[in-house]
Each structure stands twice: as C-alpha cells, then as structure tokens.
Amino acid sequence: MEKALIEFKNVRIEIIKEFSGRILLKENDVIQKGVLPKLIEIINGLKLDISIKNKNGNNKNTQQLGKEIINLMGNVNKFDNQFIDINENSKRNVNNLITLKQIDSHDSLIQLSSKYSWKRLFIQDLPYEFSDIKLKFNENSCVYRWIIIKDDDLMIYIGETKSFTKRINQYVKPGIDQKTNIRLNSNFKTYIKEGYKIYLEILDIKEMIINDNFLIQHKEINLDLKEFRRLIENYFIIDAKLKNIRVLNK
C-alpha cells in the first residue's frame, strides 16, 4: 500500500493506492466519493507538474492520476499561498505552508480475516493417529496442525510445509539434525503413553481478506508461497494463544 498525505489547517487529505491498484481518497479519515474530479482539483489547486491528459490527448483515469500524485511526493516539499477545492463550493485559502509527505502504511489498520475449516485426516474411515509408521499422503503445500487431546486437556502444534508427506514423515522418523522434529517425536510418544490421542488436521481456506484484498481459494490464495503459509501459520498460533490453548510451537 502506498499513500500520500496533504495537511493544512484542520484538513487532512490522504490519497491511498491499495495493493489491487485502486485509488482511495480520504478527507479527515472519511472516504470520499468522486475521486477523479477531486484528484484533478488537487493537481490544479496545488499547480502540480502533472498533466491530466495522456500522450494521446485522452483524460487519464483515477489510477493513473493517483499514482502520479503519490510518486511526485518524493520531489515536492511545500507550496505557499495556494488553495485546494476538495468539497464542492468550499474553496479554502491556505495562508500557511502546505506540506506533502510520502508516508508508508505503518499508521494504517491491518485487517486479516478468513473463512476456513480444519479437516481431520482419516485412513480407511478411521482418524489418523501419530505412530512410527511412515505413510504416503499428498505433496501439496499446506498449513496443518497436530491435535493432542485427553478429556478436556488440549494442546496443538501448527506448522506449514510445501510437501505434506515429507514433512509429516519427518516427525515420524526425524533426522539427527532436526531439533524440532526430534522434540515433537519424543513429546508425542510421551503423550501417547499418558493416554493422549494425537490427530492431524489440514487447514482448508475458502476465502481470505487481507486489508482490502479479497482472496479466493485456488485463485489468489497461493500456499506454494512460503511467506503466505507463514503468515497463516502465525495467525493461527496467535489465535490459539488468545484462546488460552496450549501451543507447542517455540
């Protein structure tokens, strides 16, 4: 997300370019309608070195003008004795300096929500339970969790992988240098002796919203991307901790 900020007197104007490329305009944190004419008013009012027409003589669209204003912020510092007419019939004389700043998204609200379900792994109509036997699952990228449960005592471990079969079998037969796998293998065997059941579940994400970006399963939701898998993994680790569920991730 990119953003340009214009402040003068008691007016704060934000021009925001979303990840999707859409341009929003806020005045004092209120989203405005009719963005294109307002962008043109800003360009004319501040006498920005931006043409509202392209090389073919056609008017530029909202995305083009918004992007150019944001890109210009690094080269424009201040304007004196100009006016901006943002709302119809309300020209404001600006006697103080107007400063334009390019800012990042650290002051923005981060929004993350999803429509999902956890699907338990079954083998021949029986739920898979942790054992010393290596199995062939699938090679898909995914986010998964181990469920360790006995009566009302619940623990979970959440992980992500680009190869589900390989990752799960690393818990079953860990290598000598795989500290996490060795730790969990030992813990799981101890829990089983204590009467716990250990099940395996895979996350099925139907939809996901990251800020203003709406993602759909099998299209924009790409679990082959490691950064995306880790984002989801950490989201559910934090979610579990907020619910006071014991999490085995370190």
Side-chain angles (χ1 to χ4, degrees):
M1 181 184 296
E2 299 176 70
K3 185 188 298 185
L5 175 64
I6 304 170
E7 294 179 303
F8 59 98
K9 289 191 176 181
N10 296 321
V11 179
R12 173 189 172 96
I13 298 170
E14 295 173 87
I15 302 170
I16 303 166
K17 179 187 175 185
E18 299 179 325
F19 293 112
S20 62
R22 186 175 63 156
I23 299 295
L24 296 179
L25 188 145
K26 292 183 179 180
E27 182 175 351
N28 293 337
D29 295 324
V30 177
I31 296 178
Q32 302 294 304
K33 296 181 179 179
V35 176
L36 181 58
K38 290 180 170 59
L39 294 179
I40 294 173
E41 289 168 0
I42 290 172
I43 292 171
N44 292 334
L46 292 178
K47 298 181 181 179
L48 299 180
D49 187 20
I50 295 176
S51 173
I52 63 173
K53 293 185 179 294
N54 59 29
K55 294 180 180 179
N56 298 324
N58 299 320
N59 290 331
K60 294 178 181 177
N61 59 31
T62 303
Q63 286 75 17
Q64 292 169 326
L65 290 181
K67 181 179 178 180
E68 289 189 40
I69 292 174
I70 292 172
N71 290 340
L72 188 64
M73 296 303 97
N75 300 319
V76 177
N77 295 316
K78 61 181 71 173
F79 295 84
D80 196 4
N81 296 324
Q82 304 292 338
F83 68 83
I84 300 178
D85 185 6
I86 298 300
N87 291 330
E88 292 183 5
N89 304 318
S90 74
K91 285 188 178 180
R92 303 182 181 91
N93 259 335
V94 182
N95 297 318
N96 299 324
L97 289 179
I98 300 172
T99 60
L100 281 74
K101 310 170 188 176
Q102 184 170 5
I103 62 177
D104 55 30
S105 59
H106 291 300
D107 62 344
S108 299
L109 177 66
I110 298 176
Q111 296 176 314
L112 179 61
S113 62
S114 62
K115 181 179 179 181
Y116 67 92
S117 62
W118 289 97
K119 293 187 175 180
R120 185 159 296 183
L121 190 65
F122 276 71
I123 299 177
Q124 295 181 346
D125 297 327
L126 294 175
Y128 167 80
E129 295 185 38
F130 181 81
S131 69
D132 286 331
I133 302 174
K134 284 189 174 183
L135 295 173
K136 179 73 173 178
F137 301 108
N138 62 59
E139 299 304 323
N140 295 338
S141 302
C142 68
V143 175
Y144 60 90
R145 69 178 181 182
W146 291 101
I147 300 291
I148 304 97
I149 187 169
K150 183 175 74 171
D151 300 325
D152 294 330
D153 191 8
L154 172 65
M155 295 171 279
I156 66 171
Y157 178 87
I158 299 174
E160 56 82 17
T161 181
K162 64 179 180 180
S163 176
F164 186 60
T165 293
K166 180 179 178 180
R167 188 71 189 95
I168 298 307
N169 286 328
Q170 285 174 340
Y171 295 115
V172 175
K173 299 288 185 181
I176 58 175
D177 297 325
Q178 297 173 345
K179 294 182 179 180
T180 298
N181 299 334
I182 293 172
R183 173 176 65 87
L184 289 176
N185 179 281
S186 176
N187 289 347
F188 286 175
K189 289 178 179 178
T190 299
Y191 293 140
I192 290 172
K193 290 179 181 179
E194 294 174 354
Y196 286 84
K197 297 289 187 179
I198 302 179
Y199 303 116
L200 184 57
E201 297 180 341
I202 298 175
L203 180 64
D204 181 24
I205 304 178
K206 308 292 186 184
E207 302 169 354
M208 195 165 192
I209 298 175
I210 302 178
N211 294 335
D212 296 313
N213 297 280
F214 181 75
L215 310 179
I216 303 175
Q217 187 182 42
H218 305 312
K219 292 185 179 180
E220 296 89 353
I221 298 177
N222 181 13
L223 291 180
D224 291 331
L225 185 63
K226 186 174 184 177
E227 292 79 5
F228 196 80
R229 295 196 307 270
R230 286 192 170 181
L231 169 68
I232 298 171
E233 175 193 29
N234 288 321
Y235 170 84
F236 282 100
I237 290 173
I238 294 171
D239 180 65
K241 289 182 176 180
L242 292 173
K243 294 175 180 176
N244 294 319
I245 297 174
R246 183 179 173 189
V247 178
L248 300 182
N249 297 71
K250 286 189 176 180

